[in-house]
Amino acid sequence: MVYVDFSPLKCGLISLVLFLIVKFIRAYSEKSRLRLIPTVGPDGILTSYITVFKWISNANEVVNEGYRLYPGGLFKIPTLNGWEVVISGRELLNDLRGASDQVLNPDIFTEDALQAYYTMHPNVMKSSYHTDVIRTTLTRNIGVCLQDTYDEVKVAMSEKVPLSDDWIDIPAFQTALEIVVRISNRFFVGLPLCRDPEFCDLNINFTSDVFYNALTINQFPKFLHPIVGRIFTSRRASLRKAVRLLKPMIEERLKLREKYEDDWPDKPNDFIQWCIDAQQYAPLSLRTSLEDLCVRVLFINFAAVHATSAFTFALYNLACHPELVDSLRQEAEAAIEAEGWTKPALLKMRLLDSFLMESARTTGPRANGLLRKAMQDFTFSNGMTVPRGTYLSVATGPMLRDNTIFPDPEEFKPFRFAEKREKEGVSYKHQLVTPTSEWVLFGQGKHACPGRFFAGTTLKLLMAHVLLHYDVQFPNGSRELPQNFKRNADSAPDRSTKVMFRRRSRN
């Protein structure tokens, strides 16, 4: 009889060896299929991990190098998820934009990168009818609900940043996060739940957990994902909490809908109601599902929380450039005096729109974006072919700092885009929410971010309110912009930075 030692240590070593063998075979196979596409950094199976570690700490540096070495072409970079091909030219960007979802699919890439099946919910990608709700009903109601949204801006700001004649230190990123979640949920679920601290914390933590859980899962081979995806995620706990908090509201609305059908007195006008009304577009098994509606609320909060970084970067740039305050204030005051706190007033704030664009361009862009997965072999207009299964992205960070597109790209020119809009025939082109071949922050074509109009409105409301009610500066009057926190391709505001606020001076 043969006895085998199955001690935990030996089992662990065997599992590690098998894991490394699988990773090696996968890397070799992928590399051979992409051999005609140049590589940034060493391209050996083992030496490529030098670039992987650089990618983790500063992906912008890696993508910038590829953009410089292979202008207008393609290059590949090794990541923890495998090889990724990056597009570095506007001409090839048009190829990507014109490809159908059957050829280059953004949802599959996102699902793989975020491991959405495990970190969010299996239904999120299986049935994404909520995206159509965001693109249509939600967007149409931004103006209708603007007064309620601004009411939440006033209340949230007064609680989180009290008006004081003396300077007070505020932890900028965390405060911005709490304010953005409050404002967004006034639009998503309404009062009083949008002000419930437990509900707000749930959505903040869920967003953070998705990223960290996906990062963990992606360290393992795909065949282990069903196991580790259940071990290293907190989505079930998040969903249980969401169901507990949302259940009374949803059940009441479903009863009213059953009684009155499509309309009833004082029918709520918010995202959760629009999803209930749109459930005929969901699979039959998901209709009127309490759990599924809660998943949609968690998902849209995951998307909305990203406005936090843009708001924080804008505050940092305002503190760095106090000489801009008078121009921005005068524009906001004139627009609000003429139109009130309305959508037309926000459209008149061209200087503020330009300021937000330049803030995002210079401080907050991802290293790469417009993520796609090739569902079949795809040939670009330059003759280069990527095989089925390839992950693709666009070098969005370098594009937004390309001196052939934006002269003096490293210089912060707050009214750069407002000046462009003064030219005849392009007044609506150079706007924060308008995707172009130059402005790639919100994606391109039919896959441009469906929530960009709500995000843009939220940012303008917040910044206009700050301008009209507060003075802003860094401690000790510093004019130095804090260093960003970088992780993989993302670039986020430094979370330890404080911004000082006081009641606006009327001198």
Side-chain angles (χ1 to χ4, degrees):
M1 182 177 292
V2 177
Y3 292 93
V4 180
D5 179 10
F6 284 111
S7 66
L9 177 60
K10 185 164 288 189
C11 287
L13 289 172
I14 292 172
S15 298
L16 177 61
V17 170
L18 290 174
F19 170 71
L20 292 174
I21 291 172
V22 170
K23 293 285 276 188
F24 182 87
I25 294 172
R26 177 187 171 192
Y28 183 82
S29 173
E30 287 184 348
K31 180 175 178 290
S32 64
R33 291 189 303 139
L34 299 170
R35 64 186 180 280
L36 297 179
I37 297 174
T39 307
V40 174
D43 65 353
I45 298 300
L46 296 178
T47 57
S48 63
Y49 274 89
I50 297 172
T51 309
V52 171
F53 293 129
K54 187 183 291 187
W55 170 266
I56 294 170
S57 61
N58 193 351
N60 273 287
E61 184 179 333
V62 177
V63 177
N64 283 338
E65 183 179 352
Y67 194 80
R68 177 178 57 82
L69 293 174
Y70 309 106
L74 301 171
F75 57 90
K76 68 177 182 288
I77 51 178
T79 73
L80 284 171
N81 299 330
W83 291 94
E84 186 173 313
V85 173
V86 183
I87 298 165
S88 68
R90 281 188 282 175
E91 184 177 338
L92 300 188
L93 170 60
N94 290 332
D95 295 342
L96 178 141
R97 181 169 50 193
S100 69
D101 291 358
Q102 288 70 40
V103 180
L104 301 180
N105 194 295
D107 294 335
I108 300 298
F109 189 123
T110 303
E111 184 173 5
D112 288 352
L114 294 178
Q115 291 296 328
Y117 186 94
Y118 305 106
T119 61
M120 293 185 181
H121 196 277
N123 294 344
V124 167
M125 294 300 176
K126 185 191 304 181
S127 172
S128 56
Y129 72 91
H130 58 271
T131 302
D132 291 327
V133 171
I134 296 168
R135 183 177 290 112
T136 56
T137 315
L138 184 150
T139 300
R140 286 198 302 266
N141 277 280
I142 290 173
V144 176
C145 300
L146 197 68
Q147 291 298 324
D148 286 343
T149 308
Y150 182 59
D151 177 65
E152 201 59 38
V153 169
K154 291 187 293 184
V155 175
M157 286 293 299
S158 66
E159 292 179 8
K160 303 296 182 180
V161 189
L163 283 170
S164 169
D165 292 326
D166 297 319
W167 289 105
I168 55 174
D169 287 349
I170 299 293
F173 182 83
Q174 183 61 34
T175 303
L177 186 58
E178 294 168 2
I179 290 170
V180 167
V181 169
R182 281 268 300 266
I183 296 165
S184 300
N185 279 289
R186 180 68 180 264
F187 201 61
F188 299 159
V189 300
L191 291 169
L193 193 57
C194 70
R195 297 178 183 174
D196 185 327
E198 185 181 11
F199 182 73
C200 292
D201 287 344
L202 163 66
N203 288 294
I204 291 170
N205 294 333
F206 176 78
T207 298
S208 176
D209 288 346
V210 166
F211 284 114
Y212 286 111
N213 293 339
L215 187 64
T216 302
I217 294 170
N218 280 321
Q219 309 310 304
F220 292 86
K222 195 168 185 177
F223 71 88
L224 289 177
H225 287 182
I227 299 173
V228 297
R230 286 165 173 78
I231 297 173
F232 295 109
T233 59
S234 54
R235 72 162 177 89
R236 285 185 173 82
S238 296
L239 183 57
R240 285 195 296 270
K241 187 175 291 187
V243 168
R244 174 170 58 81
L245 294 170
L246 287 164
K247 183 178 180 180
M249 173 197 296
I250 292 175
E251 288 186 339
E252 179 185 6
R253 295 192 187 190
L254 291 174
K255 288 177 183 177
L256 289 168
R257 188 168 186 263
E258 184 178 355
K259 180 178 180 180
Y260 294 104
E261 295 185 352
D262 292 334
D263 200 13
W264 62 84
D266 299 321
K267 181 180 178 180
N269 192 35
D270 54 30
F271 172 76
I272 199 165
Q273 186 61 50
W274 302 327
C275 282
I276 291 173
D277 292 342
Q279 282 210 324
Q280 69 267 27
Y281 303 110
L284 195 61
S285 60
L286 301 181
R287 295 181 188 178
T288 68
S289 164
L290 171 64
E291 179 177 299
D292 186 67
L293 287 167
C294 291
V295 168
R296 309 295 159 173
V297 172
L298 288 173
F299 180 85
I300 196 172
N301 270 280
F302 170 81
V305 162
H306 289 78
T308 299
S309 290
F311 178 42
T312 308
F313 281 132
L315 287 175
Y316 289 175
N317 277 301
L318 194 65
C320 281
H321 300 280
E323 71 277 5
L324 304 176
V325 170
D326 285 345
S327 297
L328 293 170
R329 272 180 181 163
Q330 289 169 16
E331 178 190 63
E333 285 175 334
I336 292 165
E337 184 177 351
E339 304 286 352
W341 287 94
T342 62
K343 191 175 179 180
L346 298 182
L347 290 173
K348 287 184 175 182
M349 298 181 193
R350 292 189 174 194
L351 297 181
L352 179 57
D353 191 88
S354 179
F355 172 83
L356 289 169
M357 291 180 74
E358 186 71 348
S359 176
R361 186 191 72 79
T362 56
T363 52
R366 277 178 56 93
N368 63 328
L370 283 75
L371 313 176
R372 301 288 190 272
K373 184 176 183 178
M375 308 308 292
Q376 54 187 267
D377 292 357
F378 180 76
T379 302
F380 285 90
S381 56
N382 67 352
M384 296 292 287
T385 298
V386 293
R388 177 188 176 193
T390 302
Y391 291 122
L392 291 157
S393 64
V394 176
T396 49
M399 282 185 69
L400 290 169
R401 290 191 175 89
D402 188 327
N403 61 9
T404 67
I405 303 173
F406 303 103
D408 303 316
E410 299 304 322
E411 183 181 348
F412 182 78
K413 294 184 176 181
F415 305 140
R416 179 192 298 269
F417 298 96
E419 291 167 2
K420 288 186 176 186
R421 291 178 66 182
E422 291 175 0
K423 297 179 182 178
E424 186 175 353
V426 295
S427 62
Y428 288 97
K429 181 180 179 182
H430 302 286
Q431 297 186 79
L432 177 66
V433 297
T434 305
T436 66
S437 60
E438 300 173 355
W439 187 245
V440 292
L441 194 69
F442 283 113
Q444 294 282 290
K446 66 179 181 180
H447 290 297
C449 173
R452 65 189 185 278
F453 297 101
F454 177 68
T457 299
T458 301
L459 287 172
K460 280 191 174 181
L461 283 175
L462 279 165
M463 288 305 298
H465 182 83
V466 168
L467 286 162
L468 297 185
H469 295 87
Y470 297 90
D471 290 329
V472 177
Q473 69 172 31
F474 284 129
N476 301 318
S478 171
R479 300 284 187 90
E480 186 176 345
L481 199 66
Q483 289 293 314
N484 289 358
F485 168 74
K486 291 184 168 69
R487 183 188 61 211
N488 294 340
D490 291 309
S491 184
D494 177 72
R495 300 192 177 199
S496 64
T497 297
K498 292 186 176 182
V499 173
M500 300 181 73
F501 289 80
R502 73 176 180 189
R503 189 189 308 272
R504 172 187 174 184
S505 173
R506 297 287 177 173
N507 294 338

